[in-house]
Amino acid sequence: MGLLDRLDNPYDTGGIVLGTLEDILNWGRSKSDWYLHFGLACCAIEFMSMNASHFDFMRFGIIPRATPRQADFIMITGTVTLKMAERIKLLWEQMAEPKYCISVGSCANSGGPYWQYGYHVLKGVDRIIPVHVYVPGCPPRPEAMEEGMMKLQSLIDQQAIFRKRKKLAEEEELLQIKQR
Amino acid sequence: MEVEDIYIKLKEKFGEAIIDLVNNPPSDPFINVSPEKLFDICLELRDNPEFDFDYLMCLSGLDYVDNLQVVYHIYSMKKKHKIVLKVTVPKENPKVPSIERIWRSADWHEREAYDLFGIIFEGHHNLIRILLPYDWEGYPLRKDYKEPEFYHGIRVPY
């Protein structure tokens, strides 16, 4: 418990943590995500155990919200039908920026078992809204959803808040170097 | 009461409207019925104390390429007997009398058969789509159904 020791004895051990404002803001953001749960099929059943005491989703600092206005990210868990797709798009548009999306399960990722004859199924929720993290599985185990959540947290941690253009330029430069 | 007895009794009363009895075990024996008299036959099955069928277990639609078929599984809670009725209609004019007024459970079943097979149940009080969006075109469980390219600007095929 290095950090906590430091806080208990601020003068003995230094008591100062150095970091950029951006890192601290992102740290706070990634550890207190509120989510809008869009449960559609068996993935949502798996998600119930995720929320219960065994897997305890709330230890990630997550609180379920009933309205898109208060949510930081939306979890699409299950088969997205065309009828529901329009509702999902509406909810996504109602969410405040910055917003993220986790697509859970094969159906939400790509249509899953309905990819060929599912005349009523949207073949991947990324056709209507941007998806940040895909969790594969049919349905995914709760551990997989935890992994997805940690992926989203690390994604938020690395996001640029200030000097976005500069960071983007740097990233592009890095990409170009890698491609060479 | 056995299916044969029910068949004979119905045949006495309705004559030509009762087409035949098919009994190949292990599948359930069923009676083919003409659509014109279906409502009266069902009413007789429910209200005659000898039959006393008080429970419609299932109502399903089928597509036989040229024809559409509706299958009724009917059960009697008191007499513990069961019967299967089948009605066949041509695909160009798929009209079957609604039995929603006899067994209320037929209400949503008939709407579903209408939604997915396009079978028109005459006399149903609210025959609208139940599962698909109201503006959906075509009847998806028919064998000649082609899936749409776009739905409200969203691409449908994989």
Side-chain angles (χ1 to χ4, degrees), chain B residues 18-31:
Chain B
I18 309 293
I19 296 161
D20 58 346
L21 171 73
V22 182
N23 195 352
N24 332 314
S27 61
D28 285 340
F30 61 85
I31 299 173

Side-chain angles (χ1 to χ4, degrees), chain B residues 96-101 110 120-127:
Chain B
V96 179
S98 169
I99 56 155
E100 174 243 348
R101 278 178 287 164
E110 285 182 352
I120 293 157
F121 292 91
E122 287 179 313
H124 192 286
H125 79 288
N126 183 28
L127 194 65

Side-chain angles (χ1 to χ4, degrees), chain B residues 10-129:
Chain B
L10 285 177
K11 191 85 185 167
E12 276 169 19
K13 178 137 196 201
F14 294 98
E16 287 297 299
I18 309 293
I19 296 161
D20 58 346
L21 171 73
V22 182
N23 195 352
N24 332 314
S27 61
D28 285 340
F30 61 85
I31 299 173
N32 280 314
V33 173
S34 85
E36 288 80 28
K37 284 276 178 192
L38 179 75
F39 187 87
D40 299 333
I41 292 162
C42 288
L43 202 63
E44 171 76 12
L45 285 173
R46 189 192 68 175
D47 288 348
N48 190 334
E50 267 186 295
F51 302 131
D52 210 5
F53 284 102
D54 51 2
Y55 176 39
L56 176 71
M57 292 201 288
C58 188
L59 189 159
S60 359
L62 288 169
D63 185 353
Y64 282 110
V65 185
D66 298 326
N67 297 315
L68 293 171
Q69 196 172 58
V70 189
V71 184
Y72 303 85
H73 286 77
I74 311 167
Y75 186 70
S76 171
M77 291 281 191
K78 288 173 196 142
K79 297 258 191 313
K80 310 280 182 216
H81 54 203
K82 181 182 167 187
I83 197 172
V84 181
L85 299 182
K86 292 195 180 183
V87 176
T88 311
V89 284
K91 210 171 206 176
E92 296 79 45
N93 186 28
K95 283 187 178 158
V96 179
S98 169
I99 56 155
E100 174 243 348
R101 278 178 287 164
I102 301 173
W103 292 290
R104 286 305 302 278
S105 61
D107 183 353
W108 282 14
H109 284 88
E110 285 182 352
R111 276 177 66 187
E112 190 180 354
Y114 164 72
D115 193 357
L116 303 174
F117 285 100
I119 299 160
I120 293 157
F121 292 91
E122 287 179 313
H124 192 286
H125 79 288
N126 183 28
L127 194 65
I128 54 172
R129 286 188 184 275

Side-chain angles (χ1 to χ4, degrees), chain A residues 125-178:
Chain A
V125 75
D126 50 4
R127 288 193 178 187
I128 47 164
I129 60 173
V131 176
H132 295 84
V133 177
Y134 296 89
V135 180
C138 187
R141 291 180 59 86
E143 290 93 326
M145 294 189 199
E146 284 173 358
E147 172 83 26
M149 188 60 227
M150 289 186 315
K151 278 270 184 308
L152 182 70
Q153 282 183 336
S154 65
L155 190 137
I156 296 172
D157 275 334
Q158 289 160 11
Q159 263 200 337
I161 298 177
F162 310 112
R163 289 173 295 162
K164 276 188 187 175
R165 275 195 205 128
K166 200 183 165 198
K167 279 214 167 170
L168 278 176
E170 279 173 12
E171 272 173 23
E172 223 161 83
E173 222 168 88
L174 265 176
L175 247 175
Q176 278 172 358
I177 292 166
K178 267 184 197 171

Side-chain angles (χ1 to χ4, degrees), chain A residues 82-83 85-86 110 115-116 118-123 127-128, chain B residues 116 131-133 136 140 145 147 151-152 154-158:
Chain A
L82 292 169
K83 205 174 174 180
E86 293 176 312
S110 68
W115 72 276
Q116 194 173 10
Y119 55 88
H120 61 304
V121 176
L122 183 71
K123 310 298 184 306
R127 288 193 178 187
I128 47 164
Chain B
L116 303 174
L131 297 166
L132 292 166
W136 193 268
Y145 179 75
E147 93 176 328
Y151 173 74
H152 288 192
I154 305 166
R155 214 178 109 77
V156 179
Y158 183 74

